[in-house]
Amino acid sequence: MSRGEFIRLSSLSLGGVLMSNTLFANDFFANGTTSKEDLQLMKKLVQNNDAKVKSLLNQPSQDPSIRINNFRGIANTITVMSASLCNSGSEYYKSPLLVEKMNDAIAILLKDQYSDGTLDAGGNRQSPPDTAFILEYICPAAVLLNKSKQRDLTLLREKIKQFILNAGEAMITGGVHTPNHRWVICAALANINALYPDPRYVNRIDEWLAEGIYLNEDGHYSERSGIYSAVIDKALITMARLLKRPQLLEIVNKNLITYFYYTEKNGDLVTVDSKRQDQFMALKVTKFYWQYRYMAIRTQNPMFVYMVNTIEKLPEFTSDILSDSLAFFMENEDLQKQVPAESNVPNDFEKFFVLSNLARIRREKTSITLFGGNDQPVQIVSGRSSNPNFLMYRKGEAILKYMRLSTSFFRMGYFSSDGIVKEGNKYILTETKEADYYQPLAPENRKSDGDYKLSESSDGRFWNKMDFDSRTKSNVKKQITVIEITENNGSLSLDFKVDGPPNVEVTIEMCFNENSIVNGATADEKKNYFLKTGYGEVATAGDAIKFGPGKCEHLNVENLESEEYTYHQGSLRTNGEHVYITGFTPFRHQMTIF
């Protein structure tokens, strides 16, 4: 086997296992190729792109005295204007004004482009991956401008070519920060190579791909993030298409199936298990539209067709997709084809993602998410999962955004399960917390000046000049929390048990959607609701979630997050209607949600 063949095969590896080439040559690049153009969609894209152009033209010109540190807006301006300029259905077709504006925009990028081909992006200085994100906009614009026969585009084409080739040098040599950056750079290189072929671009792609693309059995990339899964899927589709490597689409296929299960009926994405910033964000599935559409056309998969149609019906579809996607549809003509007719897709399911320790359950109007897959020990940093939400529950428009549990046990914060064990229709979440005290140092470890090593305590709660590693632990305290959740046709039975030192405050926190109507609970002066007895109900737009019975043995619902947050005046409390059930250890409480 030649070195080139070895690299090519290695670049298609998935978790160390090589994928079959034959399946995808047949399935992904043969099906759907004779579909007619979706004329209605293309008309909407042109109309909305023109509206975006009009908005851009009404914006004030960039002040040359103000240095820019985020260039995506300027790059997007070039992409949007190039689409209208080159589309015969646009009111701006061959507009000299757009040519002038695009020349000004690319001049800004060239002026601030460093000699190594990079741009800055916020705090990232001379950033190869952020430059790759800019190329995601600029390269499709270059494709459209190069195809155009318009006479006054010569200077603009040359400027854009200069920017792209400069950036190409950074793509060949530059490094990355995060897993998805590798594939964004590879997609940028594939785009550049399609415009201005150079074997160095493909060699660099193969160098990155030789590391292997991680995708686990749950269908997740290593960052387990909705934001970056959409980014990676788009990058892999670009490489598969431009480099003729259809095997890469198997990875996309698996990830898109996973996000079918992660999508709520209103287009919200489940993000609780992400290892990146979106674990605390609200995201819409519109981020996956381009990817689902491409794969629906290629594979005819009814699940992907369903997702395309779902996204197109969302109110965010116009602002998120139609307003600035025309250039990408014009550059990739496969996207212009009609999506196959929608067929029935089972939308009543129970899906347990074992590696992610996340369960998704849907029963008609009811949608349930259970999560117990945080990275241990929990650390508050990008790249690790630390969201304490273990239960999310929806019934139509009534939404329990999250349920959490916290105790006052050494101020160690929220419950974070050590995974999930599934037994039939029961899900068991368990956590053990431990806090220690410390004995005097042995004679051989003592210092007369008391200047001991600055070190972390064994339980990770604090740092001091105490040389904890040389001390014997004593008076060790443990707290064991077990939450058993049983699902029955959309109704949940919850059984809470918290054992350990006595008289520790236990707080069950439920946060419902903003402006929900809360009944059956008592509010304090801060509008915290306490369910003291019986059942409560939270209603929104004609839908309601009932829960209880209640319990109220204390009113302390402040500083639930742990000292990692509160020491820095941080908080995990979000907007919404907060309802609490409280008690003391040994804590026992059973309740239902329906």
Side-chain angles (χ1 to χ4, degrees):
M1 179 185 294
S2 69
R3 180 178 182 274
E5 180 68 1
F6 172 79
I7 290 176
R8 187 185 71 80
L9 289 173
S10 298
S11 72
L12 303 177
S13 64
L14 178 63
V17 180
L18 292 178
M19 297 180 291
S20 165
N21 295 347
T22 307
L23 172 63
F24 298 99
N26 292 334
D27 285 2
F28 285 121
F29 274 79
N31 293 340
T33 56
T34 59
S35 299
K36 295 180 180 178
E37 182 181 359
D38 190 333
L39 296 175
Q40 184 177 7
L41 176 63
M42 292 304 298
K43 183 178 180 180
K44 289 180 181 178
L45 284 165
V46 173
Q47 290 173 343
N48 283 274
N49 199 83
D50 281 358
K52 181 68 174 286
V53 169
K54 185 173 293 185
S55 173
L56 291 170
L57 291 175
N58 288 330
Q59 293 179 5
S61 300
Q62 179 68 40
D63 185 345
S65 67
I66 303 297
R67 184 170 181 83
I68 301 170
N69 67 357
N70 189 333
F71 297 92
R72 292 198 194 186
I74 293 175
N76 180 252
T77 293
I78 294 172
T79 308
V80 169
M81 289 188 175
S82 68
S84 285
L85 181 76
C86 298
N87 191 293
S88 60
S90 167
E91 63 179 281
Y92 296 101
Y93 182 52
K94 295 187 177 181
S95 165
L97 177 59
L98 294 197
V99 177
E100 177 187 345
K101 293 293 184 181
M102 291 166 67
N103 268 302
D104 292 343
I106 193 63
I108 293 173
L109 296 184
L110 285 168
K111 177 176 70 71
D112 288 328
Q113 190 175 35
Y114 290 99
S115 59
D116 67 354
T118 61
L119 292 167
D120 293 332
N124 294 338
R125 317 314 292 174
Q126 296 173 262
S127 169
D130 288 291
T131 305
F133 279 111
I134 298 301
L135 289 167
E136 183 180 333
Y137 295 99
I138 299 299
C139 288
V143 171
L144 302 185
L145 294 171
N146 288 350
K147 289 180 179 179
S148 175
K149 305 299 182 183
Q150 191 170 340
R151 292 182 179 180
D152 59 348
L153 296 180
T154 302
L155 178 60
L156 178 59
R157 289 193 192 103
E158 286 304 313
K159 286 182 180 179
I160 289 180
K161 180 178 180 180
Q162 180 185 346
F163 175 83
I164 291 173
L165 291 178
N166 290 347
E169 296 304 308
M171 300 300 98
I172 291 170
T173 60
V176 301
H177 288 145
T178 60
N180 73 82
H181 283 172
R182 296 170 295 176
W183 320 130
V184 174
I185 283 181
C186 287
L189 287 163
N191 274 314
I192 300 171
N193 186 69
L195 285 162
Y196 315 111
D198 186 327
R200 296 182 303 153
Y201 300 141
V202 180
N203 290 341
R204 184 63 165 178
I205 290 170
D206 285 334
E207 192 174 354
W208 284 117
L209 285 174
E211 295 185 1
I213 302 169
Y214 177 83
L215 189 85
N216 66 23
E217 290 300 316
D218 284 347
H220 279 300
Y221 301 113
S222 61
E223 292 169 291
R224 211 164 66 187
S225 158
I227 291 176
Y228 296 111
S229 291
V231 166
I232 295 171
D233 288 343
K234 184 178 289 187
L236 295 181
I237 289 172
T238 297
M239 285 187 275
R241 182 171 62 90
L242 297 180
L243 300 175
K244 293 184 169 52
R245 299 188 183 186
Q247 298 87 344
L248 292 170
L249 295 177
E250 179 177 0
I251 306 171
V252 178
N253 188 68
K254 291 180 179 179
N255 184 251
L256 291 180
I257 290 172
T258 293
Y259 275 92
F260 164 83
Y261 293 106
Y262 271 58
T263 303
E264 301 286 5
K265 288 190 174 182
N266 70 344
D268 288 347
L269 283 178
V270 172
T271 60
V272 63
D273 61 335
S274 172
K275 295 173 182 284
R276 297 297 305 277
Q277 68 269 27
D278 53 319
Q279 64 184 281
F280 296 107
M281 293 169 60
L283 294 182
K284 287 291 183 180
V285 72
T286 49
K287 290 184 176 294
F288 286 89
Y289 177 72
W290 189 95
Q291 301 87 321
Y292 274 119
R293 184 176 186 87
Y294 181 85
M295 295 296 283
I297 291 168
R298 286 300 187 184
T299 69
Q300 315 280 305
N301 186 332
M303 185 181 286
F304 299 163
V305 174
Y306 169 85
M307 292 302 291
V308 171
N309 288 313
T310 295
I311 295 170
E312 290 181 349
K313 294 172 185 174
L314 296 176
E316 296 83 3
F317 181 62
T318 297
S319 59
D320 292 358
I321 303 298
L322 293 178
S323 66
D324 57 5
S325 294
L326 177 61
F328 303 104
F329 277 72
M330 291 171 64
E331 183 265 338
N332 179 3
E333 294 182 358
D334 285 337
L335 292 173
Q336 300 180 25
K337 296 173 182 176
Q338 291 179 345
V339 170
E342 186 173 353
S343 55
N344 291 330
V345 175
N347 222 345
D348 187 292
F349 57 77
E350 180 174 359
K351 183 76 171 177
F352 183 34
F353 295 91
V354 177
L355 297 180
S356 304
N357 285 287
L358 183 140
R360 286 282 294 149
I361 303 168
R362 180 169 294 157
R363 311 294 186 206
E364 296 181 352
K365 289 177 66 174
T366 300
S367 175
I368 301 164
T369 304
L370 307 177
F371 177 58
N374 280 337
D375 293 315
Q376 301 292 343
V378 173
Q379 294 181 2
I380 316 306
V381 64
S382 178
R384 291 179 69 85
S385 172
S386 58
N387 192 318
N389 304 347
F390 66 84
L391 167 63
M392 286 64 69
Y393 187 95
R394 298 181 177 217
K395 183 181 283 186
E397 297 298 317
I399 298 175
L400 171 59
K401 294 168 64 174
Y402 58 77
M403 176 181 278
R404 299 170 177 169
L405 183 145
S406 183
T407 75
S408 61
F409 180 80
F410 291 87
R411 296 194 67 189
M412 294 179 74
Y414 283 114
F415 167 85
S416 180
S417 183
D418 298 316
I420 294 180
V421 174
K422 187 176 188 300
E423 295 180 356
N425 62 341
K426 179 188 292 185
Y427 294 85
I428 304 170
L429 295 82
T430 306
E431 179 199 49
T432 300
K433 280 186 166 79
E434 179 178 303
D436 315 310
Y437 294 89
Y438 301 90
Q439 291 294 311
L441 288 167
E444 63 270 20
N445 293 318
R446 296 170 186 164
K447 293 184 178 181
S448 60
D449 61 0
D451 188 13
Y452 297 104
K453 181 176 67 174
L454 177 65
S455 59
E456 184 179 17
S457 63
S458 299
D459 51 27
R461 293 189 295 124
F462 48 81
W463 287 71
N464 273 309
K465 291 177 68 66
M466 291 279 289
D467 191 10
F468 291 110
D469 291 342
S470 299
R471 295 178 184 270
T472 300
K473 294 190 293 185
S474 69
N475 311 88
V476 177
K477 305 301 178 186
K478 287 187 178 182
Q479 177 180 274
I480 300 174
T481 302
V482 179
I483 304 173
E484 297 183 354
I485 304 173
T486 304
E487 187 269 336
N488 184 11
N489 196 31
S491 175
L492 295 180
S493 299
L494 295 91
D495 188 357
F496 296 90
K497 300 174 186 175
V498 185
D499 289 305
N503 303 314
V504 172
E505 294 167 320
V506 179
T507 303
I508 298 171
E509 179 184 24
M510 291 175 281
C511 178
F512 296 88
N513 233 21
E514 298 90 324
N515 303 316
S516 299
I517 298 172
V518 181
N519 295 312
T522 303
D524 66 9
E525 67 279 1
K526 294 184 179 179
K527 206 183 174 183
N528 295 312
Y529 290 92
F530 293 86
L531 186 64
K532 296 183 177 181
T533 59
Y535 283 79
E537 179 183 86
V538 172
T540 306
D543 294 312
I545 296 173
K546 295 182 180 180
F547 51 93
K551 185 174 189 176
C552 183
E553 296 181 350
H554 69 82
L555 301 177
N556 182 15
V557 294
E558 305 288 338
N559 302 319
L560 300 176
E561 293 87 354
S562 84
E563 289 188 15
E564 280 190 278
Y565 289 93
T566 57
Y567 186 79
H568 297 280
Q569 292 78 52
S571 174
L572 282 172
R573 183 183 171 104
T574 68
N575 293 332
E577 308 300 335
H578 293 257
V579 182
Y580 297 93
I581 293 174
T582 65
F584 290 92
T585 56
F587 182 79
R588 299 288 185 275
H589 189 66
Q590 293 180 336
M591 62 179 293
T592 57
I593 300 176
F594 58 98

